[in-house]
Every structure is written in structure tokens, then in C-alpha cells.
């Protein structure tokens, strides 16, 4: 977007590779993400396929309820910036009119500007993830996941699954992958929590145990539990997963997005980390980008940009928490009720803020 508007852009990455791994995980692009690609993506090939909505399954993998919510599914003055160049060595300095901080949930730069909110708190549950080639599952399972996002609730969590592009991004039916996310209660500090995040070499990870690092006995324990509580189609996916991985589920909000008189802006998960239940993380970044475009074109003030992105992030984060509480802790649990109250309060407060902003003097 910035280059399209004629700006010179320097991208400073933590990763030395120019390619990105898909981590065998899928993402959803909602209306904001789709609009972003429509405006800024010059690549002609399709990057996703349309999903008409969600199907909720019973214990026998029969569809008991359908929610028609379409989405697209795929599988990612000046400020002075000092950084270490790991390719050529040594330190470098860049003088920039605008610095956009987008280094994700473990943002190092966030620690400098917002140290009190640097570490995102744990949500008390983890998410087990895996993918299985569409061709390797039964016809019944392949049919269920042909175009819908399926959900199944269990006693201590829930699992959702959907098809994502296959090798080399193919969208051809039968050559895609089926991706699942399995949310499971796991109290912090418990023996299970420690063991789940400890890899085959004995190293305990803070947030994610990568693919290929899980101890076989840990995954076998999860499969044994799945065989007791899971519906057949999802149980098949779990049993046919060869490279599972597990992550903690965390969230974190911000009260500011702009620093140093608007020269440093936080976006994406460096700004707000939301729970993944609603798949809104990509949309969050798209909103940040498309509204910033309005600022750079003189259609919006930086103050209005900050207010809009913070309000959108707060609502999306609270909504994701409510969805997670509904399925992980179940309806009418204290966690779910408190989440609904916070969501309603945030909507009312943001509506009041927007009304008052109409009377604010404009430059």
C-alpha cells in the first residue's frame, strides 16, 4: 500500500529468509482482508476459496446446525531506527518519516514503548493443530469438509476444521489439505502444560512447540483422549496427523497505537493480540493498513486513525474471547457472561466516543 502511494519503504525483518512457512495452518480473510487484496494484490492467481459458512456436528458427525456466514479460506518528523544487520554484519541507522511496527505478538519494539503490556497473558487453554491431505481421508470426511467450516464441541473444549490450499497453493478438490484447530483446557503451571510445551530435546517453549518437535507419548495421550470424546470425522483427522504442533492461546490489548507524535505506529499483532477463534487477525492488519491509507491521502487525521483501529481491535478481541468462552467454558459460564458484558460495554462506550468526536475541532 505504501509503495502504491509513492513512498520509499525499508522493510526490516527478524527472519533472514525471503520466504515464509505456512506452518501447516489456515487463515480466514473476512470482508476487510478481502477488500485489501482487491485493492492492492496484483497477483492474478486465486489465493483462497469461498466457504459458505459453518456446520456444527453431533457425536456421529451429522450436521445438527448450519450458520451461513461466508468467508474466504487460505493458508499470512522522522524517527531514527537502529538495527543489527545479520546478513552483512554491523549496526545500521535509518532516518524515517514514519515507522510502522508490525513484528507480531512477540514484538521487541513493543517492549520499549509499552513495557507494562509486553507479555500477553495466558488464556488457560492451548490449541492443538494439524493438517491432513484431503486425499488421505475417507470419502465421508472429505465430503463434510468439501466447502464448510465444521465445529464440534466437547467437555473441555472444541475443535474446528476446514479445507485449505494444498501443495503449491492448489485449490483443486482432492489435492487440498484439511486443517483443524483443537482448543483444550490446560491450566498454567500444571504438569500437562509443562509437558505439552517441552520438545523431544527437553527444551520447554514459551508459546508454540513447533512441528516435528512433539514427543510421541504426548501426542499419543491426546489421541487417546480424542478417541473418548471426539466425533468420527475429527478423530480421523487427529489419528492421521503426522506433524502436530501446539500453541498457548493468549490475548493482549493496547490503549495507544501512535507514539513520538505519530512517527511510530503499531499495527497487527504487535498492537493487539486476539484469540484465534474468529480468525480476525488478518482482518485486523487489513483494517490498520486501509485506514492508514486514508491518513496518508489526507482523508483522515492520525488521531481518528488511532481511535478507529483501537476500537475495531477492542471489539474484535472481545468478540473472539466471547466465542472462545462459549465453546471452551460453555454457555452461561461465568467467563462467557463476563465476556458478553465487556463486549456490550465496549460497544456502548465506543459509540459515545464516536458521537463526541463529531464535536471535536478539526485542523
Amino acid at each position: 500500500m505504501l509503495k502504491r502511494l509513492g513512498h520509499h519503504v525499508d522493510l526490516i525483518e527478524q527472519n533472514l529468509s525471503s520466504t515464509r512457512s505456512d506452518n501447516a495452518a489456515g487463515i480466514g480473510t473476512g470482508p476487510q482482508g478481502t477488500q485489501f487484496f482487491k485493492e492492492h494484490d496484483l497477483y492474478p492467481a486465486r489465493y483462497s476459496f469461498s466457504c459458505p459458512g459453518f456446520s456444527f456436528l453431533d457425536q456421529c458427525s451429522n450436521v445438527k446446525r448450519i450458520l451461513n456466514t461466508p468467508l474466504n479460506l487460505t493458508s499470512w518528523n522522522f524517527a531514527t531506527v537502529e538495527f543489527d544487520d545479520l546478513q552483512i554484519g554491523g549496526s545500521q541507522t535509518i532516518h524515517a518519516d514514519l515507522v510502522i511496527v508490525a513484528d507480531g505478538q512477540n514484538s521487541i519494539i513493543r517492549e520499549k514503548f509499552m513495557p507494562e503490556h509486553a507479555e500477553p497473558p495466558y488464556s488457560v487453554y492451548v490449541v492443538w493443530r494439524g493438517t491432513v491431505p484431503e486425499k488421505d481421508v475417507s470419502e465421508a470426511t472429505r465430503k463434510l469438509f468439501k466447502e464448510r467450516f465444521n465445529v464440534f464441541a466437547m467437555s473441555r473444549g472444541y475443535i474446528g476444521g476446514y479445507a485449505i490450499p494444498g501443495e503449491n497453493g492448489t485449490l483443486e478438490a482432492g489435492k487440498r489439505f484439511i486443517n483443524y484447530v483443537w482448543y483444550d483446557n490446560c491450566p498454567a503451571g500444571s504438569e500437562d502444560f509443562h509437558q505439552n510445551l517441552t520438545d523431544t530435546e527437553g527444551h520447554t517453549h514459551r508459546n508454540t512447540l513447533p512441528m516435528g518437535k512433539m514427543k510421541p507419548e504426548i501426542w499419543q495421550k491426546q489421541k487417546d483422549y480424542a478417541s473418548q470424546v471426539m466425533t468420527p470425522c475429527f478423530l480421523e483427522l487427529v489419528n492421521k496427523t503426522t506433524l502436530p504442533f501446539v500453541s498457548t492461546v493468549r490475548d493482549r490489548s493496547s490503549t495507544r497505537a501512535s507514539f513520538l507524535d505519530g512517527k511510530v505506529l503499531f499495527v497487527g499483532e504487535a498492537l493487539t493480540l486476539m484469540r484465534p477463534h474468529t480468525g480476525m487477525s488478518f482482518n485486523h492488519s487489513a483494517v490498520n493498513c486501509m485506514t492508514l491509507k486514508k491518513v496518508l491521502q489526507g482523508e483522515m487525521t492520525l488521531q481518528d486513525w488511532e481511535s478507529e483501529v483501537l476500537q475495531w481491535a477492542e471489539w474484535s478481541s472481545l468478540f473472539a474471547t466471547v466465542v472462545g468462552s462459549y465453546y471452551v467454558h460453555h454457555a452461561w459460564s461465568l467467563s462467557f457472561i463476563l465476556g458478553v458484558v465487556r463486549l456490550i460495554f465496549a460497544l456502548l462506550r465506543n459509540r459515545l466516543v464516536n458521537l463526541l468526536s463529531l464535536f471535536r475541532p478539526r485542523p
Side-chain angles (χ1 to χ4, degrees):
M1 180 273 290
L2 293 171
K3 286 188 174 182
R4 296 284 184 83
L5 295 180
H7 297 281
H8 174 79
V9 180
D10 287 306
L11 186 63
I12 304 174
E13 276 280 4
Q14 293 181 351
N15 196 321
L16 294 179
S17 173
S18 61
T19 60
R20 290 292 174 267
S21 170
D22 60 10
N23 291 321
I27 60 173
T29 60
Q32 294 84 2
T34 301
Q35 183 63 29
F36 173 82
F37 277 120
K38 182 178 179 181
E39 293 183 14
H40 301 291
D41 185 19
L42 294 178
Y43 191 62
R46 289 178 60 200
Y47 66 91
S48 67
F49 62 91
S50 298
C51 170
F54 299 81
S55 296
F56 299 86
L57 308 180
D58 63 17
Q59 192 67 45
C60 298
S61 294
N62 297 315
V63 177
K64 62 179 182 179
R65 184 161 60 93
I66 290 177
L67 178 62
N68 290 316
T69 306
L71 69 160
N72 292 322
L73 299 174
T74 186
S75 54
W76 19 227
N77 286 306
F78 63 76
T80 300
V81 181
E82 297 180 356
F83 63 97
D84 293 328
D85 193 319
L86 299 181
Q87 289 186 316
I88 64 176
S91 298
Q92 294 195 40
T93 300
I94 292 177
H95 299 294
D97 297 310
L98 178 64
V99 176
I100 298 177
V101 181
D103 54 342
Q105 71 175 74
N106 298 317
S107 173
I108 297 175
I109 302 174
R110 183 188 174 96
E111 295 180 4
K112 308 296 183 183
F113 285 88
M114 295 177 276
E116 69 280 10
H117 299 298
E119 180 66 22
Y122 176 55
S123 66
V124 309
Y125 51 93
V126 298
V127 56
W128 302 84
R129 306 190 71 146
T131 59
V132 179
E134 201 173 25
K135 63 181 177 61
D136 292 346
V137 301
S138 64
E139 180 62 30
T141 296
R142 191 158 51 244
K143 183 177 180 180
L144 271 173
F145 289 93
K146 181 178 180 180
E147 60 179 14
R148 284 194 174 272
F149 190 125
N150 294 298
V151 178
F152 176 70
M154 296 166 285
S155 59
R156 69 182 199 196
Y158 77 100
I159 186 169
Y162 48 95
I164 60 174
E167 294 287 348
N168 301 316
T170 180
L171 301 176
E172 184 180 346
K175 295 183 179 181
R176 303 174 300 179
F177 292 111
I178 299 177
N179 172 74
Y180 65 85
V181 286
W182 174 10
Y183 298 95
D184 192 25
N185 270 308
C186 188
S190 66
E191 182 63 20
D192 282 344
F193 181 84
H194 175 75
Q195 289 297 328
N196 290 343
L197 292 171
T198 301
D199 62 27
T200 52
E201 299 174 355
H203 174 69
T204 301
H205 297 258
R206 183 177 65 172
N207 291 318
T208 297
L209 190 149
M211 288 184 294
K213 292 288 188 178
M214 188 174 296
K215 292 186 286 188
E217 62 269 25
I218 295 299
W219 184 232
Q220 186 59 52
K221 182 180 178 180
Q222 280 302 116
K223 291 198 294 184
D224 291 343
Y225 171 63
S227 68
Q228 302 171 30
V229 299
M230 205 167 281
T231 192
C233 64
F234 279 114
L235 180 59
E236 180 183 4
L237 295 179
V238 169
N239 284 331
K240 290 183 176 178
T241 300
T242 57
L243 291 173
F245 64 104
V246 63
S247 301
T248 59
V249 176
R250 301 174 183 269
D251 59 3
R252 176 192 57 208
S253 59
S254 301
T255 56
R256 294 182 61 184
S258 173
F259 294 84
L260 300 183
D261 295 325
K263 296 179 178 63
V264 176
L265 305 181
F266 283 77
V267 299
E269 290 188 341
L271 173 64
T272 300
L273 176 63
M274 56 190 70
R275 302 184 189 186
H277 305 286
T278 53
M280 297 295 282
S281 180
F282 178 78
N283 272 4
H284 172 42
S285 299
V287 167
N288 297 162
C289 178
M290 292 190 294
T291 49
L292 181 58
K293 178 182 178 181
K294 295 180 181 180
V295 175
L296 298 175
Q297 292 180 321
E299 301 172 5
M300 174 186 283
T301 67
L302 191 59
Q303 183 178 1
D304 287 340
W305 174 85
E306 182 176 41
S307 177
E308 183 167 329
V309 298
L310 288 176
Q311 286 183 31
W312 197 94
E314 180 186 34
W315 181 89
S316 299
S317 182
L318 287 172
F319 180 65
T321 300
V322 167
V323 171
S325 295
Y326 181 86
Y327 285 106
V328 175
H329 303 295
H330 305 297
W332 311 122
S333 64
L334 179 60
S335 176
F336 174 72
I337 294 172
L338 290 176
V340 171
V341 171
R342 293 191 186 102
L343 180 61
I344 294 174
F345 177 76
L347 289 172
L348 293 176
R349 186 185 69 246
N350 291 340
R351 180 66 61 86
L352 178 61
V353 169
N354 291 336
L355 288 174
L356 292 176
S357 69
L358 297 176
F359 302 96
R360 190 173 67 233
R362 300 289 174 175

